[in-house]
Amino acid sequence: MDHSTGLPARHQPITLLWGLGRAAIGHPRLLPWTDARPELRRLLSKYGRPGSTPSPEYPFVALSRSPLWELDGVTGEVPQARGSKLRQWLTAQNPRGGLRDDVYTTMAADSAARQRVVDALLLRFFDGEDPSGLLQDCRLADPVFDGFGAVPGIDLGHPFADRRALAAARVHRPNQAGICGTAEQGAESIVVSGGYEDDEDYGDVIVYTGQGGRDPDTGRQVRDQELTRGNAALVTSLATGAPVRVVRGAGGEPEYSPPTGLRYDGLFRVEDYWSERGRSGYLVWRYRLTQLPQTAAAPQPTMPAPRQPGGRQAPSRSRVNTQRIVRSTAVADFVKRSHDYTCQVCDIRLATPTGAYAEAAHIKPLGRPHVGPDITANVLCLCPNHHVLFDLGMLTIGDDLAITSHTGGPHRDRLREIATHQIGREYLAYHRTHHSTLRSVAPPPR
């Protein structure tokens, strides 16, 4: 009872809501007192009864006498007293506190059961008040989340003990499969943990192997993979441009993987896919994913009249913590400005409030396994629609610059080429060959 108001005290229910929120987002079940104290003090100061003293020591310890809460790392008896003696005991012992294991497991896995508990606490202790701020601060608010993109409340680098905790936090829902998603909607997330022998991890660039055909005991491929289920989902993500969550496990590339458990490593975009014979001789599907920047790109400065740059036959990689392909901005700007930001396929020029817009599309991709050059002869000026179609192989160009569309839609008979920007026919031939192989092994449309 809160003596200043005569109403039920809120210290313990607020502490329980804090523990429920940790279960909801997959944070560790138990937290040392020194780490929990500032969080609980802030919540009690903000949402406790008016005039009450925000003393997190008491609920942190008192709840251990209930079947809901646990104190771990305690030597001797837990004191019953309040005040300075309890603070001294907590400072000396620094126990870890939180929901009991069975309670945490249920609250993490069963959102409906968790909501019933939250509703009961709100009705008993916060009736007639708007609980939205408290729920938000306890990470119990229910933001709109459709499964794609960043998970509310989960920060970059967040650790998880196991796949169960990962699924409970909605970061990667399957308990076994490495790809979460469908061919219709795309991929939500993938796990990179060294399970497939053909995976390559370069930090902010991942060459990921699709699912299926692997012997679970040896980790080796024993049959061909098919472009279905999760494999097809990643192709859909390439087509839509939707980001994919990446989780790394302890069994992956040591330089970029956690020493134990799993870790959420941010959003990546699928930039390319192809099929090839893997190390064991079977057909595997492979995907190149690049990490999205954590901040918005700075605007490009206005450039003078274009002068054709040299570019790079072999684009370099800058070394930070990981390797990243360094694209020549000058090459892309030259191509777009040479064509006055007008698509070479359909002659559409998009005008925006900040100026004309077009996209530079590499014919032979720069990343592995293509390793195309970053030079003007390997770049086209395209509108966004034809850029996507070209990257997916639904639009190919012959050596005579004749345009073949595999989807229909308006376009020129031949690609527009100008004297100051000549297209390398060898790159067009590579693009045709690469995508004709993909179409030959892809399943027929449903």
Side-chain angles (χ1 to χ4, degrees), residues 305-445:
R307 182 179 64 184
Q308 183 165 354
R312 302 180 180 93
Q313 281 291 339
S316 63
R317 292 177 179 266
S318 64
R319 185 71 179 180
V320 189
N321 291 325
T322 57
Q323 287 188 330
R324 181 191 303 274
I325 292 177
V326 180
R327 300 169 185 264
S328 172
T329 303
V331 167
D333 285 343
F334 169 81
V335 171
K336 291 187 287 186
R337 290 167 66 87
S338 294
H339 291 274
D340 192 28
Y341 297 89
T342 302
C343 179
Q344 290 179 256
V345 170
C346 66
D347 290 332
I348 288 179
R349 185 178 189 270
L350 298 175
T352 75
T354 58
Y357 177 80
E359 297 181 353
H362 285 85
I363 304 169
K364 183 178 182 180
L366 304 187
R368 295 178 177 86
H370 317 286
V371 197
D374 194 14
I375 58 175
T376 61
N378 188 38
V379 176
L380 299 176
C381 176
L382 300 178
C383 67
N385 285 351
H386 283 122
H387 189 176
V388 171
L389 292 175
F390 185 79
D391 282 352
L392 290 175
M394 304 311 292
L395 190 76
T396 54
I397 301 168
D399 288 344
D400 60 354
L401 303 186
I403 299 172
T404 300
S405 173
H406 301 279
T407 62
H411 58 79
R412 297 169 53 94
D413 291 335
R414 295 180 185 278
L415 185 82
R416 186 181 65 253
E417 188 178 47
I418 58 178
T420 56
H421 177 221
Q422 297 290 300
I423 306 300
R425 270 49 174 182
E426 66 272 29
Y427 308 128
L428 294 176
Y430 179 91
H431 179 267
R432 293 193 306 272
T433 302
H434 173 61
H435 287 286
S436 65
T437 302
L438 293 182
R439 285 194 299 272
S440 69
V441 297

Side-chain angles (χ1 to χ4, degrees), residues 110-150:
D110 191 338
S111 59
R114 183 174 64 244
Q115 190 60 51
R116 288 194 295 270
V117 174
V118 171
D119 290 343
L121 290 171
L122 294 178
L123 180 63
R124 176 73 174 86
F125 296 96
F126 299 89
D127 189 27
E129 300 182 25
D130 180 8
S132 56
L134 173 61
L135 295 178
Q136 186 69 39
D137 285 352
C138 289
R139 298 183 176 181
L140 286 167
D142 190 18
V144 176
F145 176 61
D146 62 0
F148 292 88

Side-chain angles (χ1 to χ4, degrees), residues 183-203:
E184 292 75 19
Q185 294 185 315
E188 298 178 17
S189 57
I190 64 171
V191 173
V192 184
S193 58
Y196 283 85
E197 61 188 8
D198 295 298
D199 282 347
E200 300 175 46
D201 192 346
Y202 303 97

